[in-house]
Amino acid sequence: MSGPDDFDAVRADPDPISRGRRATALMSLYQQRATELARLRREAIEQAHAEQDMTYSEIATALGITKGRVTQIRSGAPARERVFFGVGPVSVGVPLREGTDTRMRSYVDVTDLTSQAEAETLLATLSLAAVPVTIAPDQSAPPAGDAIVICGPKSAPVGTDLLASDPALDILKEAGRWWIVVSETGERLGSPLGDSPPTDADLGYLSRRRDGDRVVVHIAGIHSPGSLGVLHYLAGNLASLHRTIADRDFSLVVRSELDGPKITDSAVVSGPHFW
């Protein structure tokens, strides 16, 4: 089968259902690339203005467009921090859990579904298309393409494998309790929910890495609210985080304050650690 970017192969596909599905996927891919090109064009305009000391009128002339169009591009193109998640579409994966009742039904945890929805909302603000997916209990590889994987090491092998490739942080279980461990110092960070007495706060892990021509973002809470806390942090701090990390691989730890199921505040307590 041809790749998802093979326009001629889609046109030549004799099966109408297959052709329709492939055309839909290719349209989504092209739309996302057009949006990314709009971001790159705005960035190029700003770079020419800042680094080459060109006026916007001069830039307009050089690009063969009007100064008014340059103004539209500068104000209308998507935010540069969208590249944090890649070009899109972005798969947003949460674990499918095995049931323990008499019917052994598989299910997705309600907090994981909330995290998935929050990730989709964040992506929408960046003009990135989201594709919700479930992660099988035995799945070891992230979804294809750009992806957000919301999965800890106890839920599926993909969580364990992604952590194993992070040289800075790890998540491990010891004496019945999960910890985020800073590799360089050996410092262990435990969720306040596990303290005695417990505190209404949780910890979450975040990493971002380039894997060839795609981006994989990994989120894992020590408890389910920890993942929500990471997304709360990203929603409020993505622009500044992107300015700090640029396109480097990294990981960090976020502490989130809780009011029942609601995240009231979030902040980085370790990192970013660059790889």
Side-chain angles (χ1 to χ4, degrees):
M1 179 179 290
S2 62
D5 199 19
D6 193 335
F7 175 76
D8 291 332
V10 173
R11 295 180 67 194
D13 192 332
D15 184 332
I17 298 301
S18 173
R19 187 168 67 249
R21 287 174 176 166
R22 292 172 68 182
T24 298
L26 196 58
M27 287 172 64
S28 177
L29 180 64
Y30 282 1
Q31 288 165 357
Q32 291 292 279
R33 289 185 175 180
T35 303
E36 178 63 9
L37 287 170
R39 183 195 70 82
L40 290 170
R41 182 172 58 176
R42 184 181 77 168
E43 190 174 272
I45 289 171
E46 299 294 359
Q47 185 176 0
H49 177 66
E51 297 180 10
Q52 298 183 15
D53 200 27
M54 294 177 70
T55 68
Y56 291 117
S57 294
E58 291 171 335
I59 293 170
T61 299
L63 295 181
I65 57 179
T66 66
K67 184 180 178 182
R69 182 62 181 135
V70 167
T71 300
Q72 291 176 338
I73 292 169
R74 292 179 61 219
S75 62
R80 66 184 59 189
E81 59 266 22
R82 79 188 300 271
V83 75
F84 182 92
F85 296 106
V87 176
V90 181
S91 296
V92 183
V94 293
L96 185 65
R97 304 179 188 274
E98 296 292 346
T100 56
D101 60 14
T102 55
R103 297 176 64 181
M104 293 300 291
R105 294 169 294 187
S106 298
Y107 68 98
V108 177
D109 181 83
V110 64
T111 307
D112 289 338
L113 284 174
T114 303
S115 295
Q116 189 177 50
E118 290 294 321
E120 292 173 21
T121 298
L122 176 57
L123 292 172
T125 67
L126 300 166
S127 301
L128 284 163
V131 182
V133 298
T134 54
I135 296 170
D138 61 349
Q139 184 170 330
S140 58
D146 295 325
I148 300 175
V149 177
I150 306 174
C151 180
K154 64 182 178 181
S155 299
V158 64
T160 303
D161 292 350
L162 286 172
L163 282 164
S165 62
D166 178 350
L169 297 174
D170 196 5
I171 301 178
L172 58 82
K173 190 175 185 180
E174 186 175 291
R177 185 174 176 181
W178 288 91
W179 304 87
I180 300 177
V181 180
V182 181
S183 300
E184 183 176 5
T185 64
E187 179 185 13
R188 298 191 310 171
L189 304 171
S191 171
L193 287 173
D195 292 343
S196 184
T199 302
D200 290 334
D202 199 8
L203 295 183
Y205 165 93
L206 167 67
S207 70
R208 178 199 184 267
R209 72 196 70 202
R210 278 222 166 259
D211 179 14
D213 61 354
R214 69 177 184 148
V215 170
V216 177
V217 172
H218 183 204
I219 296 172
I222 289 188
H223 303 286
S224 294
S227 297
L228 270 175
V230 171
L231 289 161
H232 181 277
Y233 171 77
L234 286 174
N237 300 276
L238 183 60
S240 60
L241 179 62
H242 175 63
R243 286 193 296 270
T244 300
I245 65 103
D247 200 34
R248 291 178 287 179
D249 294 349
F250 79 97
S251 54
L252 55 76
V253 183
V254 172
R255 173 182 169 123
S256 51
E257 308 300 326
L258 311 176
D259 182 6
K262 182 180 179 181
I263 308 295
T264 59
D265 195 17
S266 56
V268 173
V269 293
S270 182
H273 304 280
F274 297 106
W275 312 345

